[in-house]
Amino acid sequence: MLLRRLVYPQIISASKKLFLQNSRCINSNLSAKINILGIETSCDDTGCAVINGDGKLLSETVHSQNLMHLRNGGIIPDIAQDLHRTYIKPTVNKALEEAHITMEDVAAIAVTLKPGLPLSLAVGMKYAKHIARRYKKPIIPIHHMQAHALVARMHHKISFPFLVLLISGGHCLLAVAQDVDKFQLLGESMDCAPGEIFDKVARRMKLRNVPEYSKMCGGQAIETAASKATNPHQFKLPLPLAEYKDCNFSFNGLKTSVLLHLHRKEVYHKTVAHELIPEVNDLCAAMLMASTRHLIHRTQRAMIFCQENKLIPEENKQLIVSGGVACNNYIFSALQMLCNETSYEIYRPPPKLCTDNGVMIAWNGLEKWRKQIDIVKDFESLDIESVSPLGENLIEKVIAARISTKLMKINTKV
Ligand code: KG4
Ligand code: ZN
């Protein structure tokens, strides 16, 4: 994904220190000679990275299909597969080259096998098996969402258990990460993901026609347009699932309401083919604020559920926000406010590690390697899964708890 460069100087310098501390803790005999190659092809980015046993990132390469999909008005699975096929070998080779290693120096190949677009996942799996066979290396199968959840541990000292909010173009979920391979799902989207509605609405609003937004993904274009809003409150949007005392999400209704407002304004202004409505910035801001309120509302309840069910001890009150939508500074600031209120620490990976990338796959591979779990030498029977649960499903338990929450007031300007 093409993302606006966001700068987090204080986070980066603090995380560097933590990273060094972490690195020193690891037994150097065990770790120094280990290199994990990570391969990610679950959606539209061909990502690859090499991380050594000390957790040091040696290289990262990515071939983004964003521009092609922008041109096509969305991801076309066959085209995504073709592009993965074309770029997988050069992307892997470049990562090895930039890490100054060869396949002989690789201890294991971590590869995303689930969940994702089947045609895309298959390319990564086949290539990983091909090189694993050729160089006699084991494969570490990776769950894409677990990798999103754990990558923040690469830069921050975050101990298990912790709460995770994963918000991307394909997913929206709240979970507790108890360990590298133990997750508890508290809530998930019942229809689409926030990034998906941002992308669809941005397309329908014709934001691409504004040169400044022409190369941005939908979410980023909406965030930028929203920052120019002057009167977002002219658009009233509902709080999704307000009556449901669970941690699930729904974004479809919000999308429909935004599109209705858009349609009415287009009719009112008699806009022609390529024109945007004059209130486009305000409508983007209203949509961003409504999505944020929904995310806050469900996260608030998840925090109470964790406390009541002793899933996260007092000293571990940490929220990790990851996935492409976590790049959004308005959403992150609102979550920061919630965390201030509830005495949670909040973390998010740097923006390029929030969106899909090979680093999170290599990192998840290293976390598994350190625990010696899921290292598959006999990998021929490994297969992809387009849909895959994150872990233990606690959604019914959350529903049964019927926790009431008063939506926190968000005092942040778009
Ligand atoms: O995690 P990701 O790269 O791919 C999936 O696994 O879906 O997330 C991509 C999604 C896209 O829908 C994109 O519009 C959204 O993340 N996104 C954003 C921002 N940057 C990327 N959404 C809101 N604000 C942003 N700044
Ligand atoms: Zn993702």
Side-chain angles (χ1 to χ4, degrees):
M1 292 284 160
L2 277 170
L3 288 172
R4 186 159 48 125
R5 292 252 165 258
L6 303 172
V7 188
Y8 303 82
Q10 75 286 31
I11 296 178
I12 288 169
S13 55
S15 68
K16 257 190 187 163
K17 272 188 224 146
L18 286 171
F19 171 71
L20 290 171
Q21 278 167 14
N22 276 347
S23 309
R24 277 187 217 113
C25 298
I26 296 154
N27 180 339
S28 53
N29 287 340
L30 248 183
S31 57
K33 298 219 163 60
I34 299 301
N35 292 303
I36 305 289
L37 173 69
I39 299 177
E40 155 65 30
T41 64
S42 69
C43 189
D44 60 341
D45 290 317
T46 317
C48 192
V50 178
I51 289 183
N52 78 7
D54 290 341
K56 185 171 176 217
L57 180 64
L58 301 186
S59 66
E60 60 184 306
T61 51
V62 62
H63 177 269
S64 170
Q65 306 178 0
N66 189 35
L67 287 181
M68 169 68 89
H69 300 310
L70 271 177
R71 233 174 284 143
N72 290 334
I75 298 171
I76 299 171
D78 289 19
I79 295 182
Q81 183 183 44
D82 278 352
L83 290 169
H84 281 307
R85 277 195 187 126
T86 308
Y87 288 102
I88 183 102
K89 190 174 172 188
T91 308
V92 169
N93 286 347
K94 192 162 173 246
L96 292 170
E97 206 178 290
E98 286 182 4
H100 303 292
I101 62 165
T102 66
M103 270 310 293
E104 307 296 343
D105 307 311
V106 168
I109 304 158
V111 60
T112 309
L113 292 190
K114 58 190 179 183
L117 298 174
L119 292 179
S120 295
L121 284 168
V123 178
M125 179 190 72
K126 282 185 189 153
Y127 195 73
K129 282 186 180 178
H130 164 70
I131 49 178
R133 232 175 266 129
R134 182 159 171 204
Y135 296 97
K136 300 193 172 33
K137 305 290 176 184
I139 284 185
I140 306 179
I142 302 292
H143 189 294
H144 180 83
M145 302 312 291
Q146 294 182 358
H148 268 306
L150 298 187
V151 71
R153 277 166 52 85
M154 192 173 156
H155 293 100
H156 302 278
K157 196 167 165 40
I158 304 164
S159 57
F160 292 108
F162 51 84
L163 183 61
V164 204
L165 172 65
L166 296 181
I167 39 181
S168 72
H171 297 270
C172 187
L173 59 86
L174 272 160
V176 178
Q178 291 287 355
D179 207 336
V180 173
D181 57 345
K182 189 165 185 277
F183 287 74
Q184 294 164 315
L185 183 67
L186 306 182
E188 64 187 346
S189 178
M190 291 154 65
D191 39 52
C192 49
E196 189 181 339
I197 67 160
F198 291 151
D199 293 337
K200 285 187 176 153
V201 169
R203 213 174 299 137
R204 178 65 186 76
M205 283 175 163
K206 300 172 267 191
L207 290 181
R208 262 188 71 197
N209 294 349
V210 180
E212 184 189 354
Y213 309 142
S214 63
K215 290 184 178 164
M216 289 180 184
C217 62
Q220 197 191 357
I222 287 190
E223 181 176 18
T224 314
S227 69
K228 299 172 187 165
T230 51
N231 181 21
H233 298 289
Q234 66 176 296
F235 297 107
K236 302 280 172 261
L237 294 171
L239 176 67
L241 304 182
E243 305 303 315
Y244 292 82
K245 294 181 177 174
D246 57 34
C247 293
N248 288 330
F249 300 87
S250 167
F251 290 92
N252 243 347
L254 208 51
K255 183 186 77 185
T256 309
S257 304
V258 174
L259 293 181
L260 264 174
H261 281 298
L262 177 63
H263 178 70
R264 280 195 207 117
K265 288 289 179 190
E266 282 176 342
V267 172
Y268 178 78
H269 293 292
K270 300 189 181 61
T271 55
V272 292
H274 62 280
E275 275 177 356
L276 280 69
I277 56 164
E279 301 87 350
V280 69
N281 296 340
D282 289 336
L283 189 51
C284 285
M287 180 185 178
L288 183 52
M289 287 157 70
S291 310
T292 305
R293 278 199 301 275
H294 184 37
L295 293 169
I296 295 286
H297 196 207
R298 312 326 266 184
T299 309
Q300 239 180 317
R301 181 172 287 117
M303 287 173 171
I304 300 171
F305 182 82
C306 287
Q307 188 178 14
E308 288 184 354
N309 292 274
K310 300 189 173 45
L311 295 184
I312 298 180
E314 272 302 301
E315 64 277 14
N316 270 52
K317 284 166 80 176
Q318 310 158 100
L319 173 68
I320 280 70
V321 195
S322 193
V325 179
C327 294
N328 190 292
N329 286 331
Y330 178 79
I331 293 175
F332 188 72
S333 305
L335 287 164
Q336 257 173 334
M337 274 176 209
L338 172 64
C339 287
N340 284 344
E341 291 279 313
T342 52
S343 305
Y344 261 72
E345 293 291 327
I346 184 165
Y347 302 92
R348 69 171 159 178
K352 70 175 177 180
L353 297 190
C354 282
T355 51
D356 291 352
N357 62 84
V359 180
M360 67 182 193
I361 308 305
W363 173 258
N364 201 163
L366 179 62
E367 293 241 48
K368 289 186 171 187
W369 180 273
R370 284 174 177 168
K371 298 200 81 171
Q372 289 291 297
I373 48 176
D374 283 350
I375 301 163
V376 186
K377 289 192 177 130
D378 191 5
F379 49 75
E380 292 302 343
S381 60
L382 284 180
D383 208 351
I384 56 164
E385 287 169 56
S386 58
V387 181
S388 169
L390 181 77
E392 187 190 0
N393 191 326
L394 298 188
I395 292 179
E396 287 305 320
K397 226 177 143 185
V398 177
I399 294 172
R402 295 192 53 76
I403 297 166
S404 297
T405 48
K406 193 166 172 294
L407 178 63
M408 190 193 76
K409 199 161 168 12
I410 306 166
N411 293 319
T412 175
K413 286 230 167 339
V414 181

